[in-house]
Amino acid sequence: MKNLLLILLCLPSFTSFGQVLDYDGNDDGCVNIDDALGLLMEFGQCLDVEVFVCGETIEHQDYDYSTVQIGEQCWFSENCRYLPVVSHSSLGSSTEPYYYVYGYEGTDLAAAKATENYETYGVLYNWPAVMTEGICPSGWHIPSDGEFTQLTDFLGGESVAGGKMKDDVQWDGSNSSGWTGLPGGYRYSDGFNVSGHGGHWWSASESGSYSWKRRLLSDYVNVFRNDGSRYYGFSARCVRDD
């Protein structure tokens, strides 16, 4: 303690334009005995900082997302719900963001969020929309193709991982992973399709002019990896940063 006080007292106590004094605790432009006493008064104290533990919920834009630890990864265990605007299924783009709620064909945001499909399945995004900031909370991101592969490898490979990722209440999986994949369908050029039978999830990885995704289907335990047109609307999940 004595040595710490001596070090602080020996620090230069002058200021110049643009200079930052790291130990100037009272911001008077000088490092002196008042700063030393202030530091000593707080010595050993710690801020009460909340530490997130995977498996807890994480709040993002007034909604608490459930999470699950799978191997070394922490995933959302439900689909993203980020919905700044909503579009009719007949409208779309490969370069501009579009957002859809399965079965909803209006543009009223509150009405879209009030639907059962939004509550259950979240939002369908074209690829530009899924890559916008705001879809995941700070410290989380849309998974890359490689991170999806890491997930399915941990669950035994693509030939069996699907059964472990599919929900066991609304769907025909075991959900032993806790990923809770739901058959939310997708949006394509002619409207919505296959709700109740299939689910599709974007990755952040490009495949030429397309982008990689994962697909789960009824009656299959496989996970299907293929690239999709960025024009289509698929579901999205977030994974925690390493």
Side-chain angles (χ1 to χ4, degrees):
M1 188 74 71
K2 181 178 179 181
N3 289 339
L4 175 61
L5 179 59
L6 289 173
I7 290 172
L8 289 169
L9 292 176
C10 291
L11 290 171
S13 58
F14 60 86
T15 61
S16 63
F17 181 76
Q19 184 180 12
V20 177
L21 296 173
D22 292 336
Y23 294 94
D24 183 13
N26 59 6
D27 295 322
D28 66 353
C30 297
V31 177
N32 51 38
I33 188 64
D34 292 332
D35 301 302
L37 292 174
L39 177 60
L40 290 173
M41 289 177 63
E42 294 188 6
F43 188 81
Q45 297 183 29
C46 299
L47 294 175
D48 185 13
V49 179
E50 285 191 24
V51 178
F52 172 78
V53 177
C54 193
E56 299 176 343
T57 60
I58 183 161
E59 191 275 335
H60 183 50
Q61 298 178 344
D62 300 322
Y63 181 79
D64 291 330
Y65 286 94
S66 57
T67 66
V68 62
Q69 186 78 34
I70 306 177
E72 296 182 356
Q73 298 173 306
C74 185
W75 288 84
F76 276 15
S77 56
E78 54 186 299
N79 292 341
C80 294
R81 305 162 64 89
Y82 175 62
L83 188 64
V85 295
V86 63
S87 296
H88 192 280
S89 66
S90 64
L91 304 175
S93 171
S94 296
T95 58
E96 298 298 324
Y98 275 79
Y99 307 81
Y100 311 93
V101 172
Y102 194 100
Y104 180 75
E105 297 291 16
T107 58
D108 186 293
L109 199 57
K113 289 184 175 182
T115 64
E116 184 177 352
N117 282 337
Y118 175 81
E119 180 65 27
T120 303
Y121 301 120
V123 176
L124 299 176
Y125 306 89
N126 70 350
W127 195 74
V130 87
M131 296 304 295
T132 56
E133 292 185 8
I135 190 170
C136 294
S138 176
W140 297 72
H141 62 276
I142 298 298
S144 68
D145 181 53
E147 286 173 315
F148 263 123
T149 298
Q150 181 180 343
L151 169 67
T152 55
D153 283 351
F154 180 80
L155 296 176
E158 292 180 350
S159 63
V160 296
K164 302 174 184 179
M165 292 168 64
K166 287 194 289 184
D167 177 65
D168 58 344
V169 177
Q170 294 193 36
W171 215 353
D172 58 357
S174 70
N175 198 30
S176 60
S177 69
W179 203 76
T180 318
L182 295 176
Y186 69 99
R187 176 264 170 193
Y188 69 126
S189 56
D190 293 326
F192 298 110
N193 195 21
V194 300
S195 175
H197 301 284
H200 304 249
W201 289 267
W202 280 121
S203 85
S205 299
E206 300 182 33
S207 174
S209 61
Y210 283 34
S211 296
W212 290 109
K213 67 181 183 71
R214 295 301 188 277
R215 176 176 54 157
L216 301 176
L217 294 175
S218 297
D219 302 323
Y220 289 88
V221 297
N222 309 62
V223 175
F224 299 92
R225 173 184 180 264
N226 62 290
D227 52 9
S229 169
R230 296 173 187 175
Y231 186 85
Y232 286 6
F234 299 136
S235 300
R237 292 288 178 101
C238 298
V239 65
R240 196 178 183 191
D241 298 349
D242 291 336

